[in-house]
Amino acid sequence: MFGEYINNTEDPKKYELWVPKIKAYRERLQEGVKPEYSLPDYSLPSEEELERGIDARALAAKCLTGEEIEITSSSATDLVQRMATGQLTAVEVLKAFAKTATVAHQLTNCAMELFIDEGMKRAEELDAYFAEHGETVGPLHGLPVSMKEHYAFKGKIAHAGYVGKLDNVSDEDLAIVRDLYNLGAVFYVRTTEPQMLMHLCSNNNITGKCRNPCNTLLTPGGSSSGEGAIAAMNGSAFGIGSDIGGSIRGPAAFCGVWGLRPTTKRISLAGVANPYDDQSPDVVYPTLGPIGRSADDLALCMKAVIDQNPWEKDPLVLPIPWKDVPEPEPKKLKIAICYDDGFVRPTPPVLRALKTAKSKFEAAGVEVVEWKPLDVQKIVYTCYVAYNFDQNYGQKARLALSGEPVVHLSQKHLSFGLGDGAVSGLEVQRLVNIRDKYRCIYMDKMNEMGIDYILTPAYVSVAAKPETITYWGYTCLWNILDFPNVSFPSGLSVLLEDRVDKSFKPRNEVEEYEYSLYTGPDDFVNAPIGLQLTGRRYTDESVIQAAKVLAEVMQDELTVTQRAVL
Amino acid sequence: MFGEYINNTEDPKKYELWVPKIKAYRERLQEGVKPEYSLPDYSLPSEEELERGIDARALAAKCLTGEEIEITSSSATDLVQRMATGQLTAVEVLKAFAKTATVAHQLTNCAMELFIDEGMKRAEELDAYFAEHGETVGPLHGLPVSMKEHYAFKGKIAHAGYVGKLDNVSDEDLAIVRDLYNLGAVFYVRTTEPQMLMHLCSNNNITGKCRNPCNTLLTPGGSSSGEGAIAAMNGSAFGIGSDIGGSIRGPAAFCGVWGLRPTTKRISLAGVANPYDDQSPDVVYPTLGPIGRSADDLALCMKAVIDQNPWEKDPLVLPIPWKDVPEPEPKKLKIAICYDDGFVRPTPPVLRALKTAKSKFEAAGVEVVEWKPLDVQKIVYTCYVAYNFDQNYGQKARLALSGEPVVHLSQKHLSFGLGDGAVSGLEVQRLVNIRDKYRCIYMDKMNEMGIDYILTPAYVSVAAKPETITYWGYTCLWNILDFPNVSFPSGLSVLLEDRVDKSFKPRNEVEEYEYSLYTGPDDFVNAPIGLQLTGRRYTDESVIQAAKVLAEVMQDELTVTQRAVL
C-alpha cells in the first residue's frame, strides 16, 4: 500500500525566512477574534484541559443569548426562509454566527481567517436591499457561509496549507465564491486544512492543528478539518469543503454533522488553489461539496449553486440540472450494508452503529441486504498510486518553496502508492482502465442486487487521535469510482460498551495499525459515529434524500436529551 | 509535430501463418456479395477505371428499380415513419438497401462483412411483429443500419483493423449493438476501417483500401472509411462510426454526407473493440456517433440511443437526456468562421466554400464574425502526444500479434507526438492541464464574442489521394477540447476554378506537405467540400439543428440538377 518517499524538500535555513510570515498570518487571524463575539480569556479551557478532551459544543453556549442559540441551531433552510419573509435580518443572523464561529475557533482552532467586519458590512447591504426591494438577492440571502481556505477570494491569500504560498494573493473571487456571493451568502470565515490538503486530519505549519469539538482530544478529520469543526459548533449555516479521498466525509463523520461528496464535475473548481498549478491529475478527480447540519441544507446549497448553470461559464462542469427529488418511503428502499471492506475491519463502535442501522431500518420496513467486499484493496491501491503519479512532483515543489518541515501525515501521504517512484504513461492508462472497469463492476453489482444505496462506515472507526490515520479506503474507494456519498450522523456516539475486541486477529499490517488507533471508549467519549451512504453516479439528489430518511429512522428512538445534544 | 517510431513489430515469418486467415476472411466477405443484390461482373468498372476516378454513385442506379431508388434516397427519418404507418415493410426496405450496400462494396470496397441473409431474417421478424401487434418494436423499426467493424457482435470477429485479432470472436453483442437492435435496427453490413483505426484514410492488411464513391481515385477518409462510403452510396439508412481525431467527420466531409461527433460520454463505448484491452487512454477520449444523409437522421439516431438511458447500465455514460431543440431562425444565429487555423491553411476549394458560406449566411440574416486562430499548433501537438503516451505500447503489441506489415499511415501515426518516446506521469498531468485550460479559454472566447457556433473546414482540403494525409488539426483540435461537431455537405464540390495558388508560401513543413496534396481540380473532380460546425460542450442537439439550417441556407441556390445529384 505504501511506497518510498525521499524527504528532500526540507530546508531549515530557507524556512527561517518564512517564519515571520507565519507569525504575521497568525496575528491577523488572532485580530479577527473580536471581544464582542468571543469567550473571555478567563473562561477558556487550558491547553491541558483541551488535550484531555472536553465537549466544546457545550461551552459555546456561555456567550450566547437564548435567541442566538435558537438562530445558530436552526438549519440554513429555515434561516433563509425566515430572512426571506422578514422575520430575521441578515445582521441578526450574522451576529449570532459571529459568536459561534469565533468561539468555535477559540476552542478548536478551526479558522484560518476571521473577517467578521467584512461580513457585517455585507449583511447590512443585504438588509438594505431587502428593505428597499422587499425581496432577497437570491436563495442564500443572508446565510453566513464558511469556506475552506483554499478557494480564491479577491485580495486574500490562498495557500492550501503550504507555507511557501503565504504570498499568494488572489486576483479575483473565483467561481464558487462569486456564485455563492451572488446568491446572497455572507462570508466571514475561512477554515483550516492540513499541509498539502492530503490528510484525514488537520495539521499544518501555518496555524497548527484543529480540534474535534465533540472531544477536543481527537481530530476533527480532514482535509476539510475546519469545516467539520465549525459545523459541529453551529458556527456557520453551512460551509464548502473539498474531497478527493474523504476530505468532506471524514470531518462530517468525525464531528457528527452532514457532508456531501457529490459526483465530480457538478460544481466548478475554477479558482480553487491546489498544489497543481500546471498539473491536472484527473485519474482521481476532486470535488467541492457542502458540509452542514442537515440533509436539507446540503440540498439547498447544491440546488442554489447548480441552478446558476455553472457549465455556461466553465466547460469542465457537466450540464446536469439539480433535480428536486422527494424523500423515499422507507418501505420502498432496498439498501445494502457493508460491515467490512475485506481489508480493514471497522472498530466496535462503528460495527455497533451498522448493526443498529440494520435493525432499525428493518423495523421501519427498509429491505436490507449485505454488501460483500469487492476487490477493495486493489481499488484503493490504484487510488493511492493515482494520487502520486507525478512522483510527488507537484507537492514537493510547493513544499520546497519554503523548505518547511514535512509534517507526519504529509510524509505518510507522500509514500502512498509508489511514493516518489516513476509511473509511465502506459501505467497511467492502466490505472484508468482499472478505475473504469470497477466503475462498471460496481454498477453491475448494484443492478444485479437491485439496490440503489450502499451503507458503509465513513472510516474504520470514529475520530482518531491527531496525526494517526493513514487508511482512507472507506472513503477514497468512492472517489476513484466516483459514486456520490453523504456522510451523516447515525445519532449514536461511543459508549462504554464499545470495548476493544481483544480476540481480533488482524489480516494485514494496515488493518493491525488502523484498528489499534481505537483504544477503547475512555479516550473517545462523545465521539460521534458517522456513516456513509453511497449511490449511483450523478444521483446526488437522491442520495441526500435517502440519507435523510435513513438518518430519521436511526434517530427515531433517541431520547429527548440526546436530541437536544444533537 | 512528429516524433520517432521504431519499426520493430513486423515479422514476415510469423505473418505467413496469418495469411490464410486473411484469405478466409476475404472469402467470407466475397460470399456476402449475393448475385441478386449486385452488379454483374461485366458491368463493373476495371481497377484501372476506378483508379482513374469515376463517380460510383451514378453506377449504382443500374441495378435498382425506380422504387428502390426512391427508398434508398429517402432519409431514415422518412423511412421509419413510413414503416411505422405500414406504407413500407422492413423487407422491402432492406431489399433496396441490400442492393445499394452490395454495389457500394463492389465499387468502393467499403464492407468488411456482408450478412444480408441475417438481416433479411430480422426484417421478416419485424414485419411479422408489426403485422401481429400493429405497432413497431421501437423508433428505429426496420431501418437498415451499417456499423463500423470494431463493435462486438456476438459470434462475429472484431479485429479493429489488426490482422492479429482475426481470431477475436465476440462473446456477446454489446451496448450500442444491443441498443440499436432493441430499437428496431436491422444489421446486414459491417464497414471497413484502416489498420489501427488511426488514419484519416482507409488502408489495412485484411481487406485493403476503400475508395471514395464521389471519385474513386480519392480516399473516403477515415477511420470510419466504410461508413462515409456507404452513406454516400445510399447503402444504409445511417451508420455508426467512431471518432478520436476526425474519424467520423473526415469521411463525412470527404464523401459529401453528414456526421456527428457528439461530446464524449453520451454514448456507451461498452464492447467497442479497440487497441487497448487493458489501457484506457482518456486524455483524448473517443466517441461513437452517427454518419448519415441528413441532419434529421443524426438526431433520430442520437435521440433513440440516448432515450434508452444508457447511464443506467454504463456508469461511464453521462445522464444527459437528449433534448428536442427547434431549428434556429437564421436571423437569430451569430456564428464565427475560421478561414485558417494559423498552422495549416485550407486549399482553394475549401476557402471558396468558406467564403461562399459567409456571403450566403449574411444574405440570410446570419451574423458572421471571424474566428481567429487560437494556439492551434500547441493544442494539436498536445493531442498528438496524448494519442501515443503509452509509447505506442498498445498498438505495437497488437501489430506484433501477427507481425503484419505496418502500412504507411500507421507508421506516420506511430510517430505522432513523441512517437515511442517516454512520457512520465507528470507529463500526462501537464497534458491534461493544457487540455483543460484550453477548454476554458475557448469557451471564454465564445462567450466574449457572443457566439454559439464556429464554422471551420473539416480538413485542410477535400478528399486526398489515398495514404497521404497526416495533419488532423482541423478535427482533432475539437477532440481534445471535446466540443461537439457536425460535418456537413456545403453543397459545393471542386470546380475548375479551384486552381492551386502558386504564390502561396507555406509557413512550416506540415503546411507545405499537406497543402501540396491538393494538386488542382483535375484530380479532384466531384470531390465534395464538407464543412464542420462546432458548438459548446454537450449541446450536440443544437449543433445539429444549427448545421441543418446553415446547410439549407448554403444549398438554397443550387440548381434542380445539382439537387438531384445530392
Side-chain angles (χ1 to χ4, degrees):
Chain A
M1 193 62 65
F2 299 108
E4 195 182 347
Y5 151 67
I6 302 146
N7 188 343
N8 56 4
T9 63
E10 294 187 10
D11 182 345
K13 216 148 171 192
K14 190 195 275 183
Y15 185 55
E16 269 176 33
L17 303 172
W18 289 84
V19 170
K21 290 181 185 170
I22 296 173
K23 191 160 167 280
Y25 190 86
R26 287 187 184 177
E27 281 168 4
R28 268 196 309 279
L29 171 56
Q30 187 54 37
E31 282 162 19
V33 178
K34 303 289 179 195
E36 62 269 38
Y37 303 125
S38 55
L39 280 177
D41 285 351
Y42 64 80
S43 68
L44 288 174
S46 67
E47 277 299 303
E48 292 67 33
E49 285 171 302
L50 290 171
E51 201 58 33
R52 278 201 300 277
I54 61 168
D55 185 342
R57 297 170 296 182
L59 262 184
K62 287 200 180 169
C63 70
L64 298 176
T65 66
E67 195 194 349
E68 286 164 346
I69 290 174
E70 194 281 323
I71 289 172
T72 54
S73 59
S74 296
S75 71
T77 307
D78 182 38
L79 288 172
V80 84
Q81 193 270 334
R82 284 153 75 193
M83 284 186 278
T85 49
Q87 297 170 60
L88 277 175
T89 66
V91 167
E92 282 170 334
V93 171
L94 183 59
K95 274 189 176 159
F97 280 95
K99 286 190 178 175
T100 45
T102 304
V103 173
H105 177 62
Q106 289 181 292
L107 298 173
T108 70
N109 194 32
C110 64
M112 280 205 159
E113 200 171 349
L114 274 165
F115 45 104
I116 292 165
D117 290 351
E118 283 178 46
M120 204 57 78
K121 192 161 160 280
R122 164 75 169 155
E124 285 162 4
E125 286 165 8
L126 289 169
D127 286 339
Y129 182 95
F130 185 80
E132 188 182 337
H133 298 89
E135 61 175 25
T136 64
V137 304
L140 305 182
H141 183 103
L143 280 188
V145 172
S146 52
M147 302 290 280
K148 192 173 175 181
E149 191 275 344
H150 69 126
Y151 316 135
F153 275 75
K154 185 178 176 178
K156 296 189 193 293
I157 295 164
H159 55 63
Y162 290 95
V163 172
K165 287 283 186 183
L166 277 173
D167 289 334
N168 182 40
V169 176
S170 304
D171 295 334
E172 44 184 334
D173 280 348
L174 281 166
I176 188 85
V177 172
R178 178 196 58 212
D179 283 352
L180 290 171
Y181 184 91
N182 290 339
L183 291 164
V186 174
F187 298 124
Y188 60 109
V189 60
R190 294 169 75 197
T191 60
T192 196
E193 65 214 0
Q195 185 182 46
M196 286 184 3
L197 298 169
M198 297 300 280
H199 315 175
L200 219 57
C201 206
S202 74
N203 196 17
N204 65 68
N205 291 320
I206 303 171
T207 59
K209 284 178 222 169
C210 180
R211 296 184 182 279
N212 189 317
C214 311
N215 179 332
T216 53
L217 165 61
L218 305 175
T219 180
S223 67
S224 309
S225 319
E227 286 303 324
I230 204 167
M233 295 291 288
N234 287 335
S236 63
F238 62 74
I240 303 293
S242 56
D243 192 319
I244 195 170
S247 286
I248 286 172
R249 292 157 292 161
F254 290 0
C255 297
V257 297
W258 290 74
L260 170 71
R261 190 204 74 86
T263 320
T264 60
K265 306 193 183 183
R266 294 198 72 178
I267 298 181
S268 177
L269 294 174
V272 173
N274 73 28
Y276 308 98
D277 302 333
D278 63 349
Q279 299 169 239
S280 296
D282 80 343
V283 177
V284 185
Y285 205 79
T287 178
L288 306 183
I291 294 182
R293 285 96 38 84
S294 76
D296 288 344
D297 292 354
L298 305 183
L300 172 75
C301 171
M302 290 298 288
K303 179 175 165 57
V305 169
I306 292 180
D307 278 357
Q308 302 307 293
N309 299 356
W311 49 85
E312 290 174 2
K313 294 185 206 110
D314 182 348
L316 309 184
V317 177
L318 298 171
I320 303 176
W322 189 259
K323 283 190 286 285
D324 290 316
V325 166
E327 288 176 35
E329 283 178 49
K331 284 181 186 159
K332 293 194 174 155
L333 280 174
K334 179 176 175 184
I335 74 158
I337 298 184
C338 167
Y339 301 95
D340 182 348
D341 73 358
F343 185 53
V344 181
R345 189 193 186 196
T347 57
V350 172
L351 281 178
R352 175 169 61 83
L354 291 168
K355 286 175 194 155
T356 307
K358 179 176 193 289
S359 61
K360 290 203 176 181
F361 292 169
E362 287 179 338
V366 176
E367 188 178 349
V368 179
V369 293
E370 184 173 349
W371 181 265
K372 301 277 188 194
L374 195 46
D375 294 344
V376 171
Q377 186 179 354
K378 180 177 174 185
I379 304 169
V380 169
Y381 180 69
T382 303
C383 181
Y384 278 19
V385 174
Y387 284 142
N388 291 0
F389 75 80
D390 66 341
Q391 304 181 252
N392 288 318
Y393 175 87
Q395 288 162 314
K396 291 175 81 166
R398 278 137 197 94
L399 290 169
L401 287 174
S402 69
E404 66 180 301
V406 181
V407 309
H408 176 62
L409 287 183
S410 295
Q411 299 211 3
K412 276 285 168 199
H413 177 68
L414 291 167
S415 77
F416 271 25
L418 297 175
D420 285 0
V423 177
S424 69
L426 171 60
E427 286 161 335
V428 174
Q429 295 189 3
R430 288 188 167 150
L431 294 177
V432 175
N433 189 262
I434 292 170
R435 177 194 76 183
D436 288 354
K437 279 192 177 149
Y438 276 105
R439 285 180 179 176
C440 296
I441 289 169
Y442 269 64
M443 192 177 205
D444 288 348
K445 193 67 173 172
M446 290 176 78
N447 284 340
E448 183 192 317
M449 293 173 72
I451 53 158
D452 291 320
Y453 306 103
I454 306 168
L455 184 77
T456 69
Y459 166 63
V460 176
S461 189
V462 293
K465 289 167 199 163
E467 300 285 281
T468 55
I469 297 172
T470 63
Y471 180 69
W472 312 351
Y474 282 93
T475 44
C476 76
L477 174 75
W478 304 115
N479 290 84
I480 187 163
L481 297 178
D482 197 25
F483 284 42
N485 328 92
V486 168
S487 184
F488 67 97
S490 66
L492 307 174
S493 52
V494 171
L495 297 178
L496 279 178
E497 69 189 77
D498 297 322
R499 281 182 293 274
V500 173
D501 176 3
K502 287 187 178 154
S503 71
F504 176 61
K505 298 260 179 296
R507 294 165 290 190
N508 56 68
E509 282 180 14
V510 176
E511 184 173 58
E512 181 172 18
Y513 170 76
E514 218 70 26
Y515 201 84
S516 76
L517 301 180
Y518 179 72
T519 49
D522 294 348
D523 288 341
F524 296 83
V525 174
N526 276 334
I529 309 174
L531 294 173
Q532 177 181 228
L533 193 73
T534 295
R536 290 153 191 273
R537 294 187 85 190
Y538 308 109
T539 65
D540 311 276
E541 298 89 336
S542 304
V543 182
I544 292 174
Q545 294 301 337
K548 179 180 179 181
V549 167
L550 293 175
E552 282 166 0
V553 168
M554 282 211 75
Q555 293 172 28
D556 251 346
E557 289 164 33
L558 290 181
T559 63
V560 174
T561 325
Q562 279 173 314
R563 280 187 181 283
V565 172
L566 281 176
Chain B
M1 192 62 64
F2 299 107
E4 195 184 348
Y5 150 68
I6 302 147
N7 187 343
N8 56 5
T9 64
E10 294 187 10
D11 182 344
K13 216 149 172 194
K14 191 195 274 180
Y15 185 55
E16 270 176 32
L17 302 173
W18 288 84
V19 170
K21 290 182 187 170
I22 295 173
K23 192 162 166 280
Y25 190 86
R26 287 186 184 177
E27 283 168 4
R28 268 197 308 279
L29 171 56
Q30 188 53 38
E31 283 162 19
V33 178
K34 303 289 178 195
E36 62 270 39
Y37 302 125
S38 55
L39 280 177
D41 284 352
Y42 64 81
S43 69
L44 288 174
S46 66
E47 278 299 304
E48 292 68 32
E49 285 172 300
L50 290 170
E51 201 58 33
R52 279 202 298 276
I54 62 168
D55 185 341
R57 296 171 296 182
L59 263 184
K62 288 199 180 169
C63 70
L64 299 177
T65 65
E67 195 194 349
E68 285 165 346
I69 292 175
E70 194 282 323
I71 288 173
T72 55
S73 58
S74 296
S75 71
T77 309
D78 182 39
L79 289 171
V80 84
Q81 193 270 334
R82 283 153 74 191
M83 284 186 279
T85 50
Q87 298 170 59
L88 277 175
T89 66
V91 167
E92 281 169 333
V93 170
L94 183 60
K95 274 190 177 157
F97 279 96
K99 287 190 178 175
T100 45
T102 303
V103 174
H105 177 62
Q106 288 181 292
L107 298 174
T108 70
N109 194 32
C110 64
M112 280 203 159
E113 199 170 349
L114 274 164
F115 44 105
I116 293 165
D117 291 351
E118 283 178 45
M120 205 57 78
K121 190 160 162 281
R122 164 75 168 155
E124 285 162 3
E125 285 165 8
L126 289 169
D127 285 340
Y129 182 95
F130 185 80
E132 187 181 339
H133 298 88
E135 60 176 26
T136 63
V137 305
L140 305 182
H141 182 102
L143 280 188
V145 172
S146 52
M147 302 290 280
K148 192 173 176 180
E149 189 276 342
H150 69 126
Y151 316 135
F153 276 74
K154 185 176 176 180
K156 296 189 193 294
I157 295 164
H159 55 62
Y162 290 96
V163 172
K165 286 284 186 182
L166 276 172
D167 287 335
N168 182 40
V169 175
S170 303
D171 295 333
E172 44 185 334
D173 281 347
L174 283 166
I176 187 86
V177 171
R178 178 195 59 216
D179 283 352
L180 290 171
Y181 184 90
N182 290 339
L183 292 163
V186 174
F187 298 124
Y188 60 108
V189 59
R190 294 168 77 195
T191 59
T192 195
E193 65 214 359
Q195 185 182 45
M196 286 185 1
L197 298 169
M198 296 300 279
H199 314 176
L200 218 57
C201 205
S202 74
N203 195 17
N204 65 68
N205 291 319
I206 303 170
T207 59
K209 284 179 223 168
C210 179
R211 295 183 183 280
N212 188 318
C214 311
N215 179 333
T216 52
L217 166 60
L218 306 175
T219 180
S223 68
S224 309
S225 319
E227 285 304 324
I230 204 167
M233 297 289 289
N234 287 335
S236 63
F238 62 73
I240 303 293
S242 56
D243 193 318
I244 195 172
S247 286
I248 286 172
R249 292 156 292 159
F254 290 0
C255 297
V257 297
W258 288 75
L260 170 71
R261 189 204 75 84
T263 319
T264 61
K265 306 193 182 183
R266 295 198 71 178
I267 298 181
S268 177
L269 293 174
V272 172
N274 73 29
Y276 308 99
D277 302 333
D278 63 350
Q279 299 170 238
S280 297
D282 81 343
V283 177
V284 185
Y285 204 79
T287 177
L288 306 184
I291 293 182
R293 284 97 38 82
S294 76
D296 288 344
D297 292 354
L298 305 183
L300 172 74
C301 170
M302 290 298 288
K303 179 174 165 58
V305 170
I306 292 180
D307 278 357
Q308 301 307 295
N309 299 356
W311 49 85
E312 290 174 1
K313 293 185 207 111
D314 182 348
L316 308 184
V317 176
L318 297 172
I320 303 177
W322 189 259
K323 283 189 286 284
D324 289 316
V325 166
E327 289 175 34
E329 283 178 50
K331 286 182 184 157
K332 292 193 175 157
L333 280 174
K334 180 176 175 185
I335 74 156
I337 297 184
C338 168
Y339 302 94
D340 182 348
D341 73 357
F343 185 52
V344 182
R345 189 195 186 195
T347 58
V350 172
L351 281 178
R352 175 170 59 84
L354 292 167
K355 286 174 194 155
T356 306
K358 179 175 193 286
S359 61
K360 291 204 176 182
F361 293 169
E362 286 180 339
V366 177
E367 188 179 348
V368 179
V369 292
E370 184 174 347
W371 181 264
K372 301 278 188 192
L374 195 45
D375 295 343
V376 171
Q377 185 179 356
K378 179 178 174 184
I379 304 169
V380 169
Y381 180 70
T382 303
C383 181
Y384 278 19
V385 174
Y387 285 141
N388 291 0
F389 75 79
D390 66 341
Q391 303 181 251
N392 288 318
Y393 175 87
Q395 288 162 315
K396 291 176 81 165
R398 278 140 196 92
L399 290 170
L401 286 174
S402 69
E404 65 180 302
V406 181
V407 309
H408 176 63
L409 287 183
S410 294
Q411 298 211 3
K412 276 286 167 198
H413 177 68
L414 291 166
S415 77
F416 271 25
L418 298 173
D420 284 0
V423 177
S424 69
L426 171 60
E427 286 161 335
V428 173
Q429 295 189 2
R430 287 187 168 151
L431 294 177
V432 174
N433 190 263
I434 292 170
R435 176 193 76 183
D436 288 355
K437 278 190 179 152
Y438 276 104
R439 286 179 178 176
C440 296
I441 289 169
Y442 269 64
M443 191 177 205
D444 287 348
K445 193 67 172 173
M446 291 177 79
N447 284 339
E448 184 192 316
M449 294 172 72
I451 53 158
D452 290 320
Y453 307 104
I454 306 168
L455 184 77
T456 69
Y459 165 63
V460 176
S461 189
V462 293
K465 289 167 199 163
E467 300 285 283
T468 55
I469 297 172
T470 63
Y471 180 69
W472 312 351
Y474 281 93
T475 43
C476 76
L477 173 75
W478 304 115
N479 289 84
I480 187 163
L481 296 178
D482 196 26
F483 284 43
N485 329 91
V486 168
S487 186
F488 67 97
S490 66
L492 307 173
S493 52
V494 171
L495 296 178
L496 280 178
E497 70 189 76
D498 296 322
R499 280 182 292 273
V500 173
D501 176 2
K502 287 187 178 155
S503 71
F504 176 61
K505 298 262 177 297
R507 293 165 290 190
N508 57 69
E509 282 179 14
V510 177
E511 184 172 59
E512 180 172 18
Y513 170 76
E514 218 69 27
Y515 201 84
S516 76
L517 301 180
Y518 179 72
T519 49
D522 294 348
D523 289 341
F524 295 84
V525 174
N526 276 334
I529 309 174
L531 295 173
Q532 176 181 229
L533 193 73
T534 296
R536 290 152 191 273
R537 295 187 83 190
Y538 309 108
T539 66
D540 311 276
E541 298 89 335
S542 305
V543 182
I544 292 174
Q545 294 301 336
K548 179 181 180 183
V549 167
L550 294 175
E552 282 165 0
V553 168
M554 283 210 75
Q555 292 172 28
D556 249 346
E557 290 164 33
L558 290 181
T559 64
V560 174
T561 325
Q562 280 174 314
R563 280 188 181 282
V565 172
L566 281 175

